[in-house]
Amino acid sequence: MSEPGRPVLFVNPKSGGGRAVRGRVAELARERGIEAVELGPGQELAALAEEAVRKGADALGMAGGDGSLGIVAAAAQAHGLPFVCVPTGTRNHFARDLGVDPDDPAGALEAFGDGVERRIDVGSVNDRLFLNCVSLGIYAEAVHKAAYRDAKLRTLLSTARAVLGPGAEVPELRLLDDVGGEHRRPAIVLVSNNPYALGRPGSHGGRPRLDGGRLGVIVIGPPAGAAPPSGRAWSATSLEVSAPASVPAGLDGEAVELTPPLRFSVRPRALLVRTPRRGGVRGRRRPGAPESPR
């Protein structure tokens, strides 16, 4: 495995309240011979990534939040290039699950040099790539709660209970679960690139692996009078959600509108990632590495 000869790192100076600026990420990247492109007002990240590829970039990285990571990862995946995650966002969900220390963006730059390459899965909805998850329904309260990162099913249930009153407007979504059960007008639907470890001791609410070839699906049911909303979780290789009109969604934390039917799938080991050889999140294995014996 050779080191990239013409790596390019995109830097969002505003993400995470300016973490990349405070950490001098762009300057440190340039000191390592990495071309650093700092985003300015009105610039389109997807177009910049494609331009970098046309100019000969052989590795793409992103210092920013989860939404911008997904845009650059999509370009890397489309062109068969390695992708480097430099965590400078607010929560850095993807970095944590990838095994990259979310508190050490400078250390993440080591992946461009003496890094480790692995292949991980990506999710897709209507041909749009996502690294973490897509949320539907009354999702905003749930995905922005700090407790969601420790994502136990009870957190989502309590969130649904708090935001769903007797007159709450529930989107007209419809889907079938893994045993053929129909879910109509669910309050919350979360589809993730590999399942989250709901309630697994020591899991920290993350995904134990990113190369399992499965989607994780969580559905929280509609209001049921005084009773709390019901919830169910399962995994699948694909999922279809129907609706009578366009569906507001959160895709890796970014607000988007999706045209039904929503067709979800997982692309096994479609993205080549580079991570630092040293460091990482304590207790988290690298994607693609064998699990420790239990």
Side-chain angles (χ1 to χ4, degrees):
M1 179 186 65
S2 59
E3 296 182 9
R6 299 186 64 180
V8 176
L9 174 69
F10 299 95
V11 180
N12 184 348
K14 294 185 177 181
S15 68
R19 287 191 69 200
V21 175
R22 293 193 301 273
R24 299 180 57 250
V25 170
E27 293 91 332
L28 293 173
R30 292 178 183 123
E31 289 174 7
R32 292 174 174 269
I34 303 163
E35 181 183 349
V37 179
E38 296 181 83
L39 304 182
Q43 290 185 301
E44 193 171 323
L45 181 55
L48 291 174
E50 289 296 327
E51 181 182 4
V53 174
R54 286 195 300 270
K55 290 182 176 179
D58 59 357
L60 299 177
M62 183 68 216
D66 288 327
S68 55
L69 287 173
I71 293 172
V72 177
Q77 189 267 326
H79 295 282
L81 300 179
F83 173 69
V84 174
C85 166
V86 178
T88 61
T90 302
R91 296 184 178 90
N92 301 304
H93 292 177
F94 179 66
R96 294 174 187 273
D97 293 343
L98 190 61
V100 175
D101 188 341
D103 298 318
D104 188 15
L109 294 173
E110 294 181 12
F112 284 105
D114 185 25
V116 177
E117 288 192 352
R118 296 285 189 272
R119 286 197 168 272
I120 65 168
D121 306 337
V122 297
S124 174
V125 56
N126 293 4
D127 295 324
R128 296 184 64 159
L129 177 148
F130 61 92
L131 298 174
N132 294 326
C133 67
V134 176
S135 45
L136 311 172
I138 303 175
Y139 65 90
E141 291 284 343
V143 299
H144 290 104
K145 275 183 175 289
Y148 172 67
R149 182 57 205 175
D150 300 322
K152 309 295 188 287
L153 192 55
R154 64 175 177 270
T155 301
L156 297 176
L157 287 170
S158 64
T159 299
R161 192 179 303 122
V163 300
L164 292 174
E169 288 292 328
V170 180
E172 295 184 40
L173 306 176
R174 176 183 176 276
L175 66 148
L176 299 178
D177 61 27
D178 56 331
V179 293
E182 184 179 55
H183 297 262
R184 284 185 175 273
R185 298 177 68 89
I188 298 173
V189 179
L190 295 173
V191 184
S192 58
N193 171 29
N194 283 261
Y196 283 91
L198 301 174
R200 177 178 171 180
S203 69
H204 308 292
R207 291 165 289 180
R209 62 188 303 172
L210 293 175
D211 59 355
R214 307 284 290 182
L215 298 170
V217 186
I218 301 173
V219 174
I220 306 299
S230 60
R232 185 158 188 273
W234 69 94
S235 69
T237 56
S238 63
L239 177 74
E240 183 169 313
V241 178
S242 60
S246 63
V247 180
L251 192 152
D252 283 346
E254 301 294 321
V256 298
E257 291 275 338
L258 298 174
T259 302
L262 279 54
R263 295 188 173 96
F264 293 87
S265 64
V266 62
R267 302 176 186 173
R269 301 177 185 261
L271 179 64
L272 179 65
V273 294
R274 289 181 67 96
T275 54
R277 188 173 296 276
R278 294 171 295 177
V281 182
R282 182 179 299 176
R284 299 306 302 275
R285 64 190 181 90
R286 300 295 187 199
E291 294 202 40
S292 301
R294 299 190 183 281

